[in-house]
Amino acid sequence: MALFVKVDQETCIGCGACGEVAPEIFDYDEEGISFSLLDMNAGAVPVPENLVDDLEDARDECPTSSIKVEEEPFEVEDEAV
């Protein structure tokens, strides 16, 4: 079963927990807000099987529940032109 991850950047407080627990999955932008390194937070690339435990630990550690994990890719949001 594939898992997909995306950070809700509206609720992320940049506490650093996810990057500490899963540095191969999460990084921070210039404002300190987390994003998924796997696909620049699109939620379209499956998490490698060897990183699933780290992903689940990071999700559990997130104080704002900003790490969203689904079994299907997230829908790509259309950007306004």
Side-chain angles (χ1 to χ4, degrees):
M1 166 183 67
L3 293 177
F4 299 84
V5 63
K6 186 172 185 174
V7 176
D8 181 344
Q9 295 184 309
E10 297 294 319
T11 60
C12 175
I13 60 172
C15 72
C18 61
E20 186 173 318
V21 173
E24 294 177 323
I25 301 174
F26 300 102
D27 200 1
Y28 306 92
D29 64 17
E30 56 279 342
E31 296 173 3
I33 302 300
S34 179
F35 67 93
S36 168
L37 285 168
L38 302 176
D39 58 10
M40 300 306 292
N41 211 49
V45 173
V47 175
E49 187 67 33
N50 65 315
L51 297 178
V52 168
D53 287 342
D54 290 346
L55 170 64
E56 291 173 346
D57 289 345
R59 179 185 57 194
D60 293 345
E61 292 293 321
C62 181
T64 58
S65 299
S66 297
I67 298 173
K68 306 302 180 189
V69 178
E70 297 290 338
E71 293 179 3
E72 298 289 329
F74 288 82
E75 290 186 27
V76 177
E77 296 177 16
D78 291 331
E79 293 186 26
V81 179

